[in-house]
Amino acid sequence: MFDLDGASNEPMIDRPEKSGNIWILIGLALALVAAVAAFAVLGKEQSQPFVLALLGVLAVVGVFCLFAGAIGFLKLGNSTRGNPVASAFLNSLEDGALITDFDGRLIYANEAYAVLTGAETAADIWAVERVFSNDPDAADAIFRLSQAMRERRKAQEEVRMQVPLGRADGGARWYRVSVRPLYMDEDSAGRRRKLTVWQIADITRDRVEQENSFQELQRVINFLDHAPAGFFSCDGSARIVYMNATLADWLGYDLAQFVSGDLDLGTVIRGDGTELIRSVKGQAGEVKSETFDLDFIARNGRSFPVRLLHRVPFGENGLPGDSRTLVLNRSRGEEASEALRAAEVRFARFFNNTPIAIASLDAEGRVLRTNAPFIRLFGSVEDSDGPPKLEEFVAENAREELSKILASAASGIGEIAPVDIALNNDPDPRSATFYVSAVEDGDGDGEATIVYALETTQQRTLEAQFAQSQKMQAIGQLAGGVAHDFNNVLTAIIGFSDLLLASHRPTDPSFQDIMNIKQNANRAAGLVRQLLAFSRRQTLRPQQLSLNDVLADLSILLDRLLGEKVELKVVHGRDLWPVMADLNQLEQVIVNLAVNAGDAMSDGGKLTIATSNVNEAESTQYENTRGMPPGEYTLIEVSDTGHGMPAHVMEKIFDPFFSTKEVGKGTGLGLSTVYGIVKQTGGFVFCTSEVDVGTTFRLFLPRHIPEFVEEPEVKQEALPEAVADLTGSATILLVEDEEAVRAFAARALASRGYTVHEAGSGTEALEVMEETGGDVDLVVSDVVMPEMDGPTLLVELRKTRPDLKIIFVSGYAEDAFEENLPENEKFFFLPKPFTLKQLATTVKEVLNSKD
């Protein structure tokens, strides 16, 4: 039995596995008893040989066992219990250890277990479940451990006992109880034993130390939270991971609701001050400290000046770690000189919140000090080789010029003209105007030059956009004027061709020649319509359209136009917003883009036409869309996998008559027509292209929101159905300044039976009306005329003949002159060029229409 006073090194319980088999011994004993009984039954003479034989066998077995024991082959049973080394090791443990078999039978318990559980004898040793059964607070934890034991897995729990184990009093104590499986070697029967190891440790002292440490930490945090200075820590991405209560109070944040990493440093620092924080760079393992005078912004929008004592450690690869930043509120501090403090605060505020980048340079042009806007414009000025030169931040072709003006300033020259220089930002070109001044009285820190830089990127972009707009407007006015004059010429050519065809039979030799003249004149009229589309002077009939329906109807035509080598893929956007556009003109836009894409993929490729909705936020994310205001648009995206276009071609793609195709294979009006139609619709068209990759055209059309309002009165009267008989007897006043057009129209109308009065201008038309006494049924008038134009003539005629019908003919769009007419004025319109039949049909239909 184990002595708790330490008189013995034996364990409290040690039940090792016994060797041998008791049943074999019992079997041998029964065999000997049976032999003796048999010998007694037999006679002496009969049993003697058997007795001698048995004795001989026993003698041989005995001799064999002696020899086997001598050579060590056979060992006698050992009464030593267990392994003394293992027992000594387990008894040296401070934790109590208990080993049980799978059925819960106690096999081994060390001295520490007995001490912890208060056992004095082996009979007092209990299983762990029974030890803790008296405390209901420990029941759940012990149940979980028992479950883990049955599932043969490790588990650990910490248990608080109101009454210590093995004691009647002494106060609450903490115990760590763990369980784990243990597997032993096979026994004599060839079975692997499954055991369980329980361990109990008294961790009351550790718990007390943890509680004391926690309370000490709480005191430190309380001191930090209520310190008279603010404190925060930010990570490498300038997100605040900690702030104390003082700073939270200054900023107006509830510290209880503050979540680490949710607040960005740029939210609490005014202007570009965050860039100064980000600009601190260092090497791996280095700790950098900087001082910044900035303005913080409270949650209510109020700002206050602060001084930051900023320290940043740098880890592997020079990446910044969490900072330690002390914040001094300079609006509340009591400094030795209030005037000096106020001056410093004002200077720091002006210096870091100005929109101009400011830097001081030494005589060699190296950057010494900067403000926050300078960091935002040029990036970090930290360099492992020392302060960088300002020349490194500008484009290579501008460095020589910048070096000259910096050298002039360093030599003391005061009057230096500002210079506009491109910055070193190749992906996104930017520029700035540099103002350089010399430092006359240095303070001994090496400052020789002060540089002020004002970014002019947006200004340059607006200037380029304005110049492009002016260019396109000028070209459009020129194209519109040319188209108007050509329409007059073509009207005469087509009209007189019709007169000649009317007097010739198809069998006449000259009939085919006249037809060729008319057909080519019609081709020329198609080119003129494209010019009018570019100049945005064509007549549009906008209606509410669903782009998905338009593309679905066009897909078959586009397949035929593209041919078998080009794969057409149409991607319809879901829940697409409607647009207001002219159906025919919009179809012309898509066809023009598809044809151009097909020409760029002569060896085959893929054309994708996709539609989608673009909200206001997304409209600012696309590249090369400068000049387009944010808003809601419906997007048509036409992408091909053709040969692409270089930059110098991209600059001219929307110019009329510009083409990269061979002579005779293109008019150069396809994309200019697209540009004009989209612009007249109120949308925007942009192009991106990469050589040998492909080209993408994006058409942004304004979203149309239908309004259920009463339809306004239609200005232009509806025409009745076409009539077959084009003759008449009415009196018509024909007003046209182009003699050829007037001659054709007069002959055409006279040949149909009408009485025609001719006038070369609006003033002359009024004179004809006076001469005829106003006996005129219809006026056919040009719009653009010298002395008095068509709209003015209409106003004058309405004074005496308010019900007089009038047809305007013009090479311009109807919308171009409609705004010059009185509101709700009724008129009819016939665009130039027109044929004899179109003129006669329009006149007949207008005369037959009801007032």
Side-chain angles (χ1 to χ4, degrees), residues 95 207 230 256 309 371 380 522 542 551 708 724:
D95 295 352
R207 278 284 186 163
L309 305 179
N371 66 345
S380 175
N522 286 328
L551 289 176
F708 298 95

PDB file of all heavy atoms in Angstrom, residues 95 207 230 256 309 371 380 522 542 551 708 724:
ATOM      1  N   ASP A  95       0.524  17.358 -12.161  1.00  0.00           N
ATOM      2  CA  ASP A  95      -0.870  17.117 -12.483  1.00  0.00           C
ATOM      3  C   ASP A  95      -1.273  15.721 -12.024  1.00  0.00           C
ATOM      4  O   ASP A  95      -0.484  14.763 -12.109  1.00  0.00           O
ATOM      5  CB  ASP A  95      -1.106  17.221 -13.989  1.00  0.00           C
ATOM      6  CG  ASP A  95      -0.864  18.626 -14.506  1.00  0.00           C
ATOM      7  OD1 ASP A  95      -0.662  19.530 -13.682  1.00  0.00           O
ATOM      8  OD2 ASP A  95      -0.865  18.816 -15.746  1.00  0.00           O
ATOM      9  N   ARG A 207      -5.285  31.393 -12.894  1.00  0.00           N
ATOM     10  CA  ARG A 207      -6.488  32.191 -13.090  1.00  0.00           C
ATOM     11  C   ARG A 207      -6.395  33.537 -12.358  1.00  0.00           C
ATOM     12  O   ARG A 207      -6.786  34.573 -12.878  1.00  0.00           O
ATOM     13  CB  ARG A 207      -7.715  31.421 -12.608  1.00  0.00           C
ATOM     14  CG  ARG A 207      -8.245  30.426 -13.598  1.00  0.00           C
ATOM     15  CD  ARG A 207      -9.003  31.145 -14.685  1.00  0.00           C
ATOM     16  NE  ARG A 207      -9.665  30.242 -15.587  1.00  0.00           N
ATOM     17  CZ  ARG A 207     -10.652  30.592 -16.416  1.00  0.00           C
ATOM     18  NH1 ARG A 207     -11.068  31.831 -16.429  1.00  0.00           N
ATOM     19  NH2 ARG A 207     -11.196  29.719 -17.220  1.00  0.00           N
ATOM     20  N   GLY A 230      -5.204  62.681 -27.863  1.00  0.00           N
ATOM     21  CA  GLY A 230      -5.812  61.619 -28.645  1.00  0.00           C
ATOM     22  C   GLY A 230      -4.779  60.605 -29.086  1.00  0.00           C
ATOM     23  O   GLY A 230      -3.568  60.893 -29.142  1.00  0.00           O
ATOM     24  N   ALA A 256     -18.217  52.852 -28.399  1.00  0.00           N
ATOM     25  CA  ALA A 256     -18.840  51.527 -28.262  1.00  0.00           C
ATOM     26  C   ALA A 256     -19.273  50.969 -29.611  1.00  0.00           C
ATOM     27  O   ALA A 256     -19.374  49.754 -29.786  1.00  0.00           O
ATOM     28  CB  ALA A 256     -20.037  51.607 -27.314  1.00  0.00           C
ATOM     29  N   LEU A 309       1.982  63.122 -33.967  1.00  0.00           N
ATOM     30  CA  LEU A 309       3.288  62.503 -33.773  1.00  0.00           C
ATOM     31  C   LEU A 309       3.134  61.065 -34.237  1.00  0.00           C
ATOM     32  O   LEU A 309       2.613  60.208 -33.524  1.00  0.00           O
ATOM     33  CB  LEU A 309       3.695  62.585 -32.303  1.00  0.00           C
ATOM     34  CG  LEU A 309       3.693  64.012 -31.704  1.00  0.00           C
ATOM     35  CD1 LEU A 309       4.093  63.978 -30.244  1.00  0.00           C
ATOM     36  CD2 LEU A 309       4.599  64.927 -32.489  1.00  0.00           C
ATOM     37  N   ASN A 371       3.794  69.852 -49.288  1.00  0.00           N
ATOM     38  CA  ASN A 371       2.487  69.842 -48.637  1.00  0.00           C
ATOM     39  C   ASN A 371       1.674  68.660 -49.156  1.00  0.00           C
ATOM     40  O   ASN A 371       2.112  67.925 -50.057  1.00  0.00           O
ATOM     41  CB  ASN A 371       1.759  71.168 -48.837  1.00  0.00           C
ATOM     42  CG  ASN A 371       1.384  71.405 -50.296  1.00  0.00           C
ATOM     43  OD1 ASN A 371       1.891  70.733 -51.198  1.00  0.00           O
ATOM     44  ND2 ASN A 371       0.512  72.362 -50.543  1.00  0.00           N
ATOM     45  N   SER A 380       4.580  59.736 -53.671  1.00  0.00           N
ATOM     46  CA  SER A 380       5.515  59.782 -52.555  1.00  0.00           C
ATOM     47  C   SER A 380       6.855  60.358 -52.989  1.00  0.00           C
ATOM     48  O   SER A 380       7.343  60.120 -54.098  1.00  0.00           O
ATOM     49  CB  SER A 380       5.713  58.373 -51.983  1.00  0.00           C
ATOM     50  OG  SER A 380       6.690  58.385 -50.973  1.00  0.00           O
ATOM     51  N   ASN A 522     -29.858  60.172-107.824  1.00  0.00           N
ATOM     52  CA  ASN A 522     -30.394  59.603-106.587  1.00  0.00           C
ATOM     53  C   ASN A 522     -29.274  59.098-105.671  1.00  0.00           C
ATOM     54  O   ASN A 522     -29.356  59.213-104.438  1.00  0.00           O
ATOM     55  CB  ASN A 522     -31.362  58.464-106.902  1.00  0.00           C
ATOM     56  CG  ASN A 522     -32.695  58.974-107.450  1.00  0.00           C
ATOM     57  OD1 ASN A 522     -33.146  60.058-107.092  1.00  0.00           O
ATOM     58  ND2 ASN A 522     -33.314  58.200-108.327  1.00  0.00           N
ATOM     59  N   PRO A 542     -38.514  60.903 -83.774  1.00  0.00           N
ATOM     60  CA  PRO A 542     -38.236  60.085 -82.584  1.00  0.00           C
ATOM     61  C   PRO A 542     -39.479  59.387 -82.062  1.00  0.00           C
ATOM     62  O   PRO A 542     -40.585  59.925 -82.112  1.00  0.00           O
ATOM     63  CB  PRO A 542     -37.698  61.109 -81.574  1.00  0.00           C
ATOM     64  CG  PRO A 542     -38.262  62.413 -82.021  1.00  0.00           C
ATOM     65  CD  PRO A 542     -38.370  62.338 -83.517  1.00  0.00           C
ATOM     66  N   LEU A 551     -32.637  45.326 -82.303  1.00  0.00           N
ATOM     67  CA  LEU A 551     -31.551  44.410 -82.670  1.00  0.00           C
ATOM     68  C   LEU A 551     -32.092  43.061 -83.130  1.00  0.00           C
ATOM     69  O   LEU A 551     -31.521  42.437 -84.038  1.00  0.00           O
ATOM     70  CB  LEU A 551     -30.608  44.219 -81.479  1.00  0.00           C
ATOM     71  CG  LEU A 551     -29.735  45.426 -81.119  1.00  0.00           C
ATOM     72  CD1 LEU A 551     -28.915  45.138 -79.878  1.00  0.00           C
ATOM     73  CD2 LEU A 551     -28.810  45.779 -82.274  1.00  0.00           C
ATOM     74  N   PHE A 708     -47.251  59.688 -68.913  1.00  0.00           N
ATOM     75  CA  PHE A 708     -48.617  59.538 -69.403  1.00  0.00           C
ATOM     76  C   PHE A 708     -49.302  60.899 -69.338  1.00  0.00           C
ATOM     77  O   PHE A 708     -49.945  61.257 -68.358  1.00  0.00           O
ATOM     78  CB  PHE A 708     -49.373  58.502 -68.577  1.00  0.00           C
ATOM     79  CG  PHE A 708     -48.768  57.139 -68.658  1.00  0.00           C
ATOM     80  CD1 PHE A 708     -47.873  56.700 -67.683  1.00  0.00           C
ATOM     81  CD2 PHE A 708     -49.071  56.292 -69.716  1.00  0.00           C
ATOM     82  CE1 PHE A 708     -47.310  55.446 -67.758  1.00  0.00           C
ATOM     83  CE2 PHE A 708     -48.503  55.034 -69.793  1.00  0.00           C
ATOM     84  CZ  PHE A 708     -47.625  54.615 -68.816  1.00  0.00           C
ATOM     85  N   ALA A 724     -54.446  58.368-106.999  1.00  0.00           N
ATOM     86  CA  ALA A 724     -53.903  57.944-108.291  1.00  0.00           C
ATOM     87  C   ALA A 724     -53.906  59.087-109.305  1.00  0.00           C
ATOM     88  O   ALA A 724     -52.988  59.220-110.119  1.00  0.00           O
ATOM     89  CB  ALA A 724     -54.714  56.764-108.828  1.00  0.00           C
TER      90      ALA A 724
END
